[in-house]
Amino acid sequence: MTNISKDFDFLDTDMAVMVGGGGKTTLINRLACEYSLIGKTVIITTTTKIFPPRGFDYELLLLADDVEDSQGRISDLWPKNRIVVVGSDLNQDGKIVGLNSQQVNNLKCLADIVLVEGDGAQGRPFKAPRPWEPVIPELASLIIPVVGVECIGSPLTDEKFHSVEQIGILTGLKVGDSVREKDIAKILLDPLGYKKNVPSGASWVPFINKVESSQDRKRALLLSCVLKTAGVEKVLIGSAGMLGEISVV
């Protein structure tokens, strides 16, 4: 199995924020497991809402409206588990309600790595951030915009895209138009897209996810080429699932 944490240069990272669509939660969960297996402490949290993780052991800590006493409470949990999921509450849908940016910043010194989900896509492979998104803490050191490869070439509808209206604003596309590699790249690179709210000095590494066939790989490489031509230093393609392979472009 490919070690994603090495591919993303996580060894120099203490807070990573996943944005976009197409597998943010899967990526966060895999990274959390990788780090815990080598003895690192991991906090998973969000500035939006997430479902509780499945498939591995963790401790859940709900901090209500403040995190002033979080250091002692989280420290008490590390002997039991290397992964702690932190939120403010559980809503009626069973989702963990997240923290604000400053509260997430306050968690940075409490674990080896803090993994943050910075926006929601309602399960769609891709989205454009709306005016109030993404919510990225200023202390984040790595931003990972995630794209589900199956959206490339699909018509612009709610089936595979979230925030369809915002995608149209940023690209000029109309509902039903084919969303091409250059359109995805436009949103990723636009100052009102996924270059928005990136802290100064933070790394920015796109991840094209759900690449599981030769056709998927061809589409992912075409998008990678557009991004690299535009000056993006590194793009990763592959599958964020626990057994998925990842390659660096």
Side-chain angles (χ1 to χ4, degrees):
M1 180 180 72
T2 303
N3 189 310
I4 304 181
S5 60
K6 292 182 179 178
D7 291 328
F8 279 117
D9 296 330
F10 263 63
L11 295 179
D12 298 320
T13 299
D14 47 21
M15 182 183 290
V17 182
M18 287 64 170
V19 296
K24 298 187 300 293
T25 301
T26 301
L27 177 60
I28 287 172
N29 291 347
R30 176 166 172 177
L31 287 166
C33 289
E34 285 187 5
Y35 265 87
S36 67
L37 287 173
I38 60 173
K40 301 291 186 179
T41 54
V42 183
I43 290 175
I44 296 174
T45 191
T46 181
T47 53
T48 176
K49 300 178 183 68
I50 57 172
F51 281 110
R54 297 178 179 178
F56 59 89
D57 294 329
Y58 62 90
E59 300 290 335
L60 175 61
L61 179 60
L62 300 177
L63 296 172
D65 294 326
D66 67 83
V67 293
E68 292 181 358
D69 63 343
S70 60
Q71 182 169 359
R73 295 173 67 184
I74 291 174
S75 297
D76 290 342
L77 295 174
W78 291 137
K80 303 176 185 178
N81 207 305
R82 309 304 290 176
I83 302 173
V84 174
V85 180
V86 180
S88 62
D89 200 358
L90 284 175
N91 69 14
Q92 60 184 8
D93 297 321
K95 284 188 171 184
I96 298 168
V97 180
L99 307 175
N100 63 43
S101 293
Q102 186 53 53
Q103 289 172 327
V104 175
N105 283 332
N106 292 339
L107 298 176
K108 184 175 180 179
C109 63
L110 304 182
D112 294 315
I113 180 77
V114 180
L115 303 173
V116 185
E117 190 161 323
D119 61 2
Q122 295 186 2
R124 308 302 201 282
F126 190 66
K127 65 171 287 187
R130 293 164 290 185
W132 59 89
E133 299 171 318
V135 182
I136 300 175
E138 63 181 7
L139 297 183
S141 50
L142 175 62
I143 312 303
I144 304 172
V146 181
V147 179
V149 72
E150 71 269 35
C151 73
I152 301 173
S154 296
L156 181 58
T157 67
D158 290 331
E159 181 182 356
K160 291 187 179 178
F161 297 94
H162 185 44
S163 306
V164 167
E165 181 179 354
Q166 188 68 11
I167 291 173
I169 291 171
L170 293 180
T171 63
L173 293 173
K174 297 180 175 60
V175 172
D177 287 347
S178 178
V179 180
R180 299 152 296 180
E181 290 84 359
K182 69 175 185 178
D183 303 313
I184 300 294
K186 165 68 174 171
I187 294 169
L188 289 172
L189 298 170
D190 196 288
L192 296 177
Y194 283 109
K195 283 290 190 174
K196 182 172 61 173
N197 299 336
V198 176
S200 176
S203 299
W204 189 87
V205 182
F207 176 45
I208 307 171
N209 190 25
K210 302 183 183 178
V211 177
E212 298 170 352
S213 69
S214 58
Q215 182 62 29
D216 291 342
R217 183 171 178 81
K218 180 179 179 180
R219 289 187 292 179
L221 288 173
L222 286 172
L223 175 54
S224 299
C225 182
V226 175
L227 292 169
K228 298 277 283 188
T229 301
V232 176
E233 181 177 348
K234 178 191 287 189
V235 180
L236 273 80
I237 66 175
S239 176
M242 291 298 181
L243 300 179
E245 291 296 322
I246 305 294
S247 59
V248 181
V249 180

